[in-house]
Amino acid sequence: MILLSAHNISKIYMERRVIDNASLFLNEGDKVGIIGINGTGKSTLLKILAGAEEADTGEIIRTKGIRISYLPQIPEFEEHGSVLEQVMLHLPEDLKEAKEFEAKSILGKMGISDFTRDISSLSGGERRRAGIASALIQPSDILLLDEPTNHIDNETIELLEEQLKKYRGAIVMVTHDRYFLNRITRKIVEVENGKLYEYEGNYSTYLEQKAQREADAEAKERKNRTLYRRELEWIRRGVRARGTKSKDRIERFHELENREKPSETAKMSIQSISSRLGKKTIELFNISKSIEGRQLIKDFSCNIPRNARIGIVGSNGTGKSTLIKMIAGVIQPDSGSIDTGDTVKTGYFSQECENMDPSVRVIEYIRETADHIQTPEGTITAAQMLERFLFTPELQWNIIEKLSGGERKRLYLLKILMTAPNILILDEPTNDLDISTLTILEDYLENFSGAVIAISHDRYFLDKMASEIWELTGNGTINRYNGNYSDYAEKKIPDSDTDINRKQTEKKERTFVGKKKIKFSFKEQREYETIDDDIAEIEQNIAETEKAISECSTDYVKLQELSEKKEQLESLLSEKMDRWVYLSEMAEKIANGETE
């Protein structure tokens, strides 16, 4: 049964067409993950489905009686009121009493035990958890979630996973948490250039299907280019070789010449940039810090290695941001000391970002840091760097006010990297960043020649980035574990059977397959060496047969034999041409050292 359908909807936002004549159908039990580069209209699409915004054109049809629960990126609460009252704010009056126990239960699981606290006193992460609780207790057939995992800790994310697995209605969510997508979704919808591309299965299946789609399109285009080159050669020499040209073959040439080529997906790329780092980096000596009388860090010492890859985890409020602010020199410890080497140049990415002037143009914001920068490839201008970060020339001259939240985060990240730091200190860099940007950031950090210290609740990111995990407990102690997040999860004492099952699932997800270099077999090598001559011989035979047909106008028996021979030769030529394309592509891959 179709619960909701969007027919040919379009939406222009801030002078950009973010959704362009797109359609989406939501059935009972669907579990849909919406992904795409920041600024492509994912949140706008969700708002339109929820009825919070109207499409400029097109039609949204919601089955009569369908109930929709919607969690926006910023939960909507009144300025004051108890947490419990605000969580149940949008419930029908006749359901509030019946739902009170469920609301308290979910809030408790989300780490909020004082239900009488004023909503204004909650931190950003706590407001997010209260918003999740509010969305979950709403009686609904469709649950729409916009970035539900942002600003909440790993423990809460895992609890949310368990809640959503039990949910019987349809779910549509925008999220960049790849493990979360893998475990919850059964369909991926990618928003790209205003269009929606659907893939059945979870995130891992999507990666396979998209790679296959792109590979198929690329293979088809390579074949067309190869055929075009051959046909172009034939066109150029055809008059001298034969005197006449096949009408069908000329038409095929023009079709190849005017073919619609597959559009390339925008991909972000940036070479690793850093300053020289000496032997001495940052040393922490017995540092302690309390906030509002609560001891967050007590007598912690560490000498950060030059090539450190440290991931920092812990529940919200345990002092993670406080710790890295001390390492970055933003705040000072209550006791102990921090000694920083003379060559250290830190790049500090704060969770809140910096205050951006909304009236400043994107390119001017970057030029405040540098107009040119030296990379391993040579000197790159600010405009070129912005293009590599998916800011088109048109976007570069937009004012910052017109950027989405994720685009602003990407812009801020670029500004940090352009300072050429040799120690990167990142506070929740994965919040609000799209998967494409996260993937490139992970690759960048892998090749970064300095130290990296990052707070993140993105388990996939920590698995790729970290070689050591620091766990803040909230009572002043910092536990250190060698390995990435999954290694930490294995070593950490499990709290329940659910934790054990989850660890087994995570272990299954981390499978790596060795790749072999592509190479010809002996038979294929011999075939590749002779196939050009074979094709030339067949073409010559076809030309001779055509000539014989033209000279045999009265002998109908002979004419029939020659016509059949020509058909067989043309069929053989077609097979040989397909084979030649395949072998040519293989030879190209072998020359490039590609693997299978």
Side-chain angles (χ1 to χ4, degrees), residues 194-442:
K195 305 298 183 184
L196 305 183
Y197 298 92
E198 295 189 17
Y199 300 85
E200 293 296 330
N202 62 10
Y203 181 71
S204 294
T205 309
Y206 150 77
L207 287 178
E208 293 169 5
Q209 290 179 355
K210 183 174 184 183
Q212 187 60 53
R213 177 170 72 90
E214 290 178 346
D216 289 346
E218 187 180 339
K220 183 179 179 181
E221 177 57 20
R222 280 201 311 270
K223 179 177 179 179
N224 284 335
R225 283 198 303 266
T226 305
L227 286 171
Y228 176 75
R229 286 197 300 269
R230 175 168 285 278
E231 295 301 283
L232 181 61
E233 290 173 9
W234 181 83
I235 287 283
R236 285 172 175 169
R237 71 172 188 266
V239 174
R240 294 191 299 274
R242 297 174 180 78
T244 59
K245 297 180 180 178
S246 163
K247 183 180 177 182
D248 290 342
R249 194 165 180 182
I250 292 173
E251 286 177 359
R252 183 174 70 175
F253 167 77
H254 289 305
E255 285 175 7
L256 286 166
E257 190 173 38
N258 299 319
R259 71 189 181 278
E260 183 179 343
K261 299 175 181 64
S263 59
E264 288 189 13
T265 303
K267 292 180 181 176
M268 196 180 83
S269 65
I270 179 172
Q271 290 286 330
S272 180
I273 308 164
S274 62
S275 310
R276 188 189 70 83
L277 180 61
K279 290 184 179 180
K280 185 175 180 180
T281 58
I282 300 176
E283 297 178 6
L284 315 178
F285 298 98
N286 298 319
I287 63 168
S288 297
K289 188 71 178 179
S290 296
I291 301 289
E292 297 179 353
R294 185 180 170 200
Q295 183 91 58
L296 297 177
I297 296 150
K298 183 178 180 182
D299 298 328
F300 180 64
S301 297
C302 176
N303 184 9
I304 296 170
R306 294 173 62 189
N307 61 347
R309 293 293 186 272
I310 299 166
I312 299 178
V313 301
S315 299
N316 289 339
T318 53
K320 301 184 298 295
S321 294
T322 300
L323 173 62
I324 69 167
K325 282 178 181 177
M326 287 191 288
I327 296 172
V330 177
I331 61 174
Q332 297 301 313
D334 296 337
S335 62
S337 62
I338 298 175
D339 193 7
T340 303
D342 294 334
T343 60
V344 168
K345 187 176 182 182
T346 59
Y348 172 53
F349 181 95
S350 70
Q351 186 175 164
E352 301 82 11
C353 293
E354 61 179 31
N355 290 324
M356 294 179 173
D357 185 344
S359 65
V360 170
R361 296 189 186 278
V362 169
I363 193 162
E364 291 169 352
Y365 175 76
I366 290 299
R367 281 175 175 166
E368 289 172 2
T369 300
D371 196 17
H372 295 80
I373 191 165
Q374 193 66 35
T375 75
E377 300 173 324
T379 302
I380 303 291
T381 67
Q384 288 170 322
M385 289 296 287
L386 281 164
E387 282 200 61
R388 293 184 179 205
F389 258 55
L390 303 182
F391 290 99
T392 63
E394 180 187 358
L395 266 181
Q396 292 176 25
W397 291 99
N398 268 359
I399 57 174
I400 288 173
E401 184 181 29
K402 292 187 177 182
L403 300 183
S404 70
E407 285 174 318
R408 293 188 194 193
K409 262 261 170 106
R410 194 194 314 151
L411 183 64
Y412 177 51
L413 175 62
L414 173 58
K415 187 171 185 176
I416 298 296
L417 298 182
M418 283 193 70
T419 63
N422 48 36
I423 293 185
L424 275 170
I425 300 172
L426 310 173
D427 191 353
E428 293 289 4
T430 55
N431 278 349
D432 302 312
L433 289 184
D434 57 72
I435 291 173
S436 296
T437 307
L438 287 174
T439 302
I440 297 301
L441 176 60
E442 287 157 0

Side-chain angles (χ1 to χ4, degrees), residues 1-5 26-29 61-63 66 141-142 170:
M1 174 184 171
I2 295 179
L3 303 179
L4 182 151
S5 57
L26 189 64
N27 295 293
E28 281 183 304
I61 299 173
R62 301 175 183 88
T63 300
I66 285 297
D141 305 290
I142 301 173

Side-chain angles (χ1 to χ4, degrees), residues 174-217:
V174 175
T175 182
H176 305 309
D177 188 315
R178 288 155 287 185
Y179 281 158
F180 197 75
L181 281 169
N182 238 15
R183 293 168 188 167
I184 303 299
T185 61
R186 298 175 196 155
K187 180 190 289 185
I188 298 293
V189 174
E190 184 173 23
V191 185
E192 185 180 312
N193 298 323
K195 305 298 183 184
L196 305 183
Y197 298 92
E198 295 189 17
Y199 300 85
E200 293 296 330
N202 62 10
Y203 181 71
S204 294
T205 309
Y206 150 77
L207 287 178
E208 293 169 5
Q209 290 179 355
K210 183 174 184 183
Q212 187 60 53
R213 177 170 72 90
E214 290 178 346
D216 289 346

